[in-house]
Every structure is written in C-alpha cells, then in structure tokens.
Amino acid sequence: MSVWDAIVGQQPTVDLLSQVSQVHGDRRDALAQSWLICGPPGSGRSNVARAFAAALESPDHGLGDQPTRVTQQVLSGTHPDVSILATDTVTIGIDQVRELISTSEQMPSTAPWRIIIIEDVDRMMERTTNVLLKEIEEPAEHTIWLLCAPSPQDVLPTIRSRTRAVNLAVPTGAAVTAFLMEHTDADRHVAARAARLAEGHIGIARLYATNERVMADRDSLVVGVLDMSRTSDAVMLAERLIDSARGQAEEDVAAQVTAEQRSFRRVNGLGEDERMPSNLRSMYHAISAKEDMRRKVTRRSRDVLDRALNSVSSIYRDVCVLQNNAEDSVGLINLENRTAITELSVRLDRDQAIERLGRIAVARRRIAGNVAPQLVFEALFSGLVV
C-alpha cells in the first residue's frame, strides 16, 4: 500500500510529489527546500505534507506494498527527524516558530533530511512570519520546510516568493464517498450524503459520516434558517447555534485532554489511578492548564461556527442554482430541503440571493476579526429573514 493511497482526489499532485521524491529525494542540489502546499479547507493539505515527508525519508520512497518503519513513524508524528507544528489555538506563537528554527539547524539523526511541517501557516501574525522568513531565505542544507495554507494569498508575498507552491483541488464527491466507505463504517447512502453536505471537505465529511449529533445539528440549522420569519426567530437561532458550538468545542477539548493525560501516564509507566510523582506533576497539570484549554475551546468553537457558515451559505448557493436552472449540471447540496429551498428561490430575486451570500461573507470576516460571535450571528440571521 503506497503512502499516497490515503490522499483523496489529488492525483496530479500525488504524481508530481511522488516523482520529486524518487528523482530528487537524495540530491540536495536539485530539490527545493521550501514548499507551500495550498488547498481549500478539507482538501488534505497536512496529509499531503506528511505523505511527502514520508516519501522523502523512507528508503522505498513510500511506494512499498507494506509501509516501512520510517513511513509509519512519519505518518504517526513520531519520527525524530520530522517535526510537525499544528495549533489548537487561534494563532501560532513566535516562540513555537523559534523552537522549530532551532530544531531545523540540527543535523538529521537517522534520515536523509530534517523536515519541518507547519500546518495553517496563515495563522501566524506578521511578526512571527518575519522570523520564519529569515530561515526560509537561507535554510540549512539538510532541512526541508513544508508549509500549509488555504491559498498563496493567505501568506506574505515574501514567503510565497521563496517557496515552491503546490495547489490542491477540491476532491470530487465520488472520491470522498469512496474514501468514507473504505475508512469508516458508513454505508453507501450515509457516505454519499456526508460527502455531498461537506462539499469536498474530507474532515467534515468524515465527521458527518461518523457523528450523528453533528449531522443532526447541521440539519437543524438549515431548517432553522429556512423557517425564519421574524427577527425573534433569528435571535433565538443565533443563541442556539452559539451554545451548540461552545458545547461541541468543550466536549472535543475535554476528550483531547483526557487522551493526552492517559498517554502521559502510559509513557511514564503509570496506571490510571496511580499517584503522580512530584517530578512529573507540573508537566501533567500543564496538559489541562485553564488558559490553554480556553484558547483551544475558542479555536474549536470558531471551527464549528465556520462550518455553520458553510452550511448557511449552501442554502443560498442552492437558491442561485434553482434560479439559474442549473440543477441538472451542478446539483443541489441540500437535497433533503429541496421544497423549502424552491419556495425561497421564488420569494427572493437573484440580486437578493447574492446579497445574502455577501452577508455571510461579512459574517465570516467579522468572526476572523474577533467580533463577538453572538452579535455576528444575530446580525447575520436577522439580515436573512425574508
């Protein structure tokens, strides 16, 4: 099984990176040392980066029928020469980047390359990006940087000009459906529906296919938007959404902390109920530090709200499809709500439908600008009332 088999709907990119790793993987004079892997949310940027890292580090370039030990380590995030920075908070801190730069200067211990992967490099503040830029300009000869972002425009021009860009496509519904059927317990009907509602976002499609609560929350939100007839309906729907988002975020973060605590105990040879030794106590308690958990909850809440904005946007996308008689060519996302969406497409003219998509875009920018989510969604939903 090739390391590339888990990459969904990105065959041109897979062909390119696979060839690069085979032809140039051991030639430091021919391989670009800084890469910018771009693609829309859910397209698999970080998975592509890990697969590329495994292909560069593994003796078989990740192409063997059985994954090598090196490949397994890279994909699981445990290889000593591959560092991965993924943040659970809103921004990537400057100290985290400085630590990575220090690591990048060290010679690889077992593999041909020291590889640094930074997920969501667009979450860096400008000052942090400038610190990274100095290293990207003149990387150590044994180091490869793999940066991930939604698009080249989401990073500074100086970063773009010093990296080789790789652009990912939105995976097709058929490709996502096949992936879900292979990697989850979802049947064809559930997998196809999850893929359709996720609009090519692999992570969200998996979430819909495996978490009935999340799917039910989406259905409830779409129905709520379609049923709004008064401003009071909009305010109540916004309140329910914010409460649901925070509840999901707190639940996810609590589960993550519990898993990390269990892992910490296991690594240090401690049982579930065994007393924590004093020399490990501070590190153990740092896992559940209140400030870190607060930042993680904020980040997860934003992810849930961003997903909600996508769901609301899909309603008016479907309205536009019906108004332009384009259903046969592009289809509807919210097929289960076709009757209500058809009625909405009659009540709104084309300019009004597009204007509502603009309101959703404004709400997204406000969320990114740290405006209180309650106010953002109250204003958005009030503006959507017909």
Side-chain angles (χ1 to χ4, degrees):
M1 179 179 177
S2 165
V3 72
W4 302 106
D5 289 347
I7 306 302
V8 182
Q10 307 293 343
Q11 196 57 48
T13 297
V14 166
D15 292 341
L16 168 67
L17 298 183
S18 178
Q19 182 180 18
V20 167
S21 64
Q22 293 176 69
V23 176
H24 302 300
D26 299 324
R27 295 176 55 197
R28 293 181 178 172
D29 61 332
L31 179 63
Q33 290 184 252
S34 300
W35 295 73
L36 180 60
I37 301 174
C38 299
S43 57
R45 299 186 301 260
S46 60
N47 290 335
V48 169
R50 290 177 188 238
F52 188 30
L56 290 169
E57 301 286 48
S58 181
D60 68 351
H61 301 296
L63 299 176
D65 293 334
Q66 295 296 326
T68 64
R69 182 169 179 269
V70 171
T71 294
Q72 292 175 331
Q73 287 180 321
V74 173
L75 296 182
S76 64
T78 59
H79 194 283
D81 295 324
V82 179
S83 301
I84 302 172
L85 176 57
T87 181
D88 286 321
T89 58
V90 176
T91 59
I92 294 176
I94 193 169
D95 290 338
Q96 294 173 289
V97 173
R98 284 174 173 159
E99 183 177 347
L100 279 183
I101 291 173
S102 176
T103 300
S104 76
E105 297 294 335
Q106 302 170 14
M107 290 295 294
S109 57
T110 63
W113 298 97
R114 171 80 59 184
I115 298 180
I116 312 292
I117 299 173
I118 302 182
E119 300 179 6
D120 302 317
V121 72
D122 53 301
R123 291 184 181 273
M124 289 184 185
M125 304 296 285
E126 185 172 352
R127 178 168 173 245
T128 306
T129 305
N130 287 332
V131 171
L132 174 64
L133 175 62
K134 294 179 181 179
E135 191 65 25
I136 295 294
E137 288 179 325
E138 298 180 6
E141 64 175 14
H142 53 265
T143 299
I144 294 177
W145 291 84
L146 304 179
L147 314 179
C148 303
S151 74
Q153 287 69 38
D154 290 313
V155 300
L156 290 179
T158 46
I159 292 286
R160 295 201 302 266
S161 65
R162 289 162 176 78
T163 55
R164 179 173 178 180
V166 174
N167 294 302
L168 306 184
V170 177
T172 65
V176 177
T177 299
F179 171 80
L180 293 176
M181 293 180 64
E182 181 178 354
H183 295 278
T184 73
D185 295 329
D187 59 28
R188 178 172 292 278
H189 173 74
V190 172
R193 182 173 186 240
R196 169 167 49 84
L197 297 181
E199 302 179 66
H201 192 302
I202 301 168
I204 292 178
R206 184 194 282 270
L207 190 61
Y208 286 157
T210 58
N211 192 318
E212 293 183 3
R213 174 191 168 185
V214 173
M215 180 73 88
D217 284 348
R218 185 196 187 280
D219 292 340
S220 178
L221 174 62
V222 170
V223 171
V225 171
L226 290 169
D227 286 348
M228 287 189 307
S229 59
R230 298 172 298 179
T231 301
S232 58
D233 296 333
V235 173
M236 292 175 63
L237 180 61
E239 183 176 0
R240 291 199 301 271
L241 174 60
I242 299 302
D243 289 345
S244 174
R246 185 159 192 87
Q248 285 187 47
E250 290 175 345
E251 184 178 306
D252 289 348
V253 170
Q256 179 186 351
V257 167
T258 299
E260 290 178 359
Q261 288 175 334
R262 287 175 177 168
S263 176
F264 185 90
R265 285 181 171 276
R266 185 173 60 253
V267 168
N268 289 281
L270 299 171
E272 288 288 333
D273 301 320
E274 196 170 346
R275 183 180 178 84
M276 187 63 59
S278 58
N279 62 317
L280 298 177
R281 202 167 296 154
S282 61
M283 289 186 290
Y284 180 76
H285 290 316
I287 296 173
S288 57
K290 288 184 178 180
E291 186 61 24
D292 284 344
M293 290 189 67
R294 184 189 66 78
R295 286 196 292 266
K296 290 178 181 179
V297 167
T298 299
R299 163 73 188 273
R300 295 293 179 86
S301 295
R302 286 190 177 185
D303 290 343
V304 176
L305 294 176
D306 185 72
R307 192 167 69 237
L309 288 172
N310 289 338
S311 299
V312 176
S313 181
S314 72
I315 296 172
Y316 296 95
R317 176 265 187 197
D318 286 349
V319 167
C320 292
V321 168
L322 293 177
Q323 289 176 336
N324 290 280
N325 298 316
E327 184 177 1
D328 290 340
S329 58
V330 299
L332 296 182
I333 294 171
N334 301 284
L335 279 174
E336 296 78 10
N337 309 96
R338 191 183 190 286
T339 299
I341 290 175
T342 300
E343 293 174 356
L344 183 59
S345 70
V346 174
R347 295 202 304 272
L348 297 176
D349 60 34
R350 294 182 182 182
D351 288 341
Q352 289 173 321
I354 293 173
E355 186 266 342
R356 279 158 172 75
L357 287 170
R359 288 178 180 269
I360 296 168
V362 169
R364 196 183 301 277
R365 290 196 295 271
R366 287 173 174 170
I367 289 291
N370 289 322
V371 178
Q374 184 83 34
L375 298 178
V376 172
F377 279 90
E378 285 181 359
L380 171 62
F381 290 158
S382 296
L384 299 180
V385 174
V386 180

